[in-house]
Amino acid sequence: MVYLEALYFGTPIITTQSGGASLLIKEGETGYIRQLGDVSEWCETAEIVVEKQIQVDEMREKERKIIRERFLWSKLAPFFLEVYNELLSRQ
């Protein structure tokens, strides 16, 4: 949920390969996945986020687009109902 919330608010994500990060984060487009414990890599990535505002603004828009297209309740609810009804029909 943390990744979805960050995407919703257009927050640049810097994380490790955990909690399904690779399902939502596309390197350099919707965030950054870094190795745990690699301090220099994390610092470099943080500098990119701070210094390259234009890229970050583009990233924010891509993040918000993912949320709008795939993760709003208005998009998810019909899918959940379809799966639910399919499961009911199997009984």
Side-chain angles (χ1 to χ4, degrees):
M1 290 302 295
V2 172
Y3 298 134
L4 292 174
E5 289 175 10
L7 291 172
Y8 179 83
F9 287 105
T11 303
I13 299 169
I14 306 172
T15 188
T16 60
Q17 186 62 276
S18 62
S22 62
L23 298 173
L24 293 171
I25 298 172
K26 191 168 184 178
E27 182 65 28
E29 289 187 31
T30 57
Y32 304 93
I33 299 175
R34 297 293 175 252
Q35 295 296 315
L36 183 63
D38 189 337
V39 176
S40 63
E41 186 179 40
W42 280 74
C43 290
E44 289 171 11
T45 305
E47 286 177 5
I48 289 170
V49 170
V50 171
E51 292 175 1
K52 298 188 177 181
Q53 194 59 44
I54 293 172
Q55 286 178 334
V56 171
D57 289 342
E58 291 171 2
M59 183 180 292
R60 283 186 175 115
E61 186 51 41
K62 288 178 184 175
E63 291 172 341
R64 290 178 180 141
K65 183 178 179 187
I66 288 170
I67 292 296
R68 283 191 311 266
E69 291 178 353
R70 296 174 42 200
F71 294 103
L72 291 178
W73 280 113
S74 61
K75 301 290 182 181
L76 292 172
F79 171 74
F80 291 152
L81 285 172
E82 180 181 324
V83 171
Y84 177 74
N85 287 326
E86 182 181 322
L87 291 172
L88 284 177
S89 69
R90 291 182 186 176
Q91 295 181 3

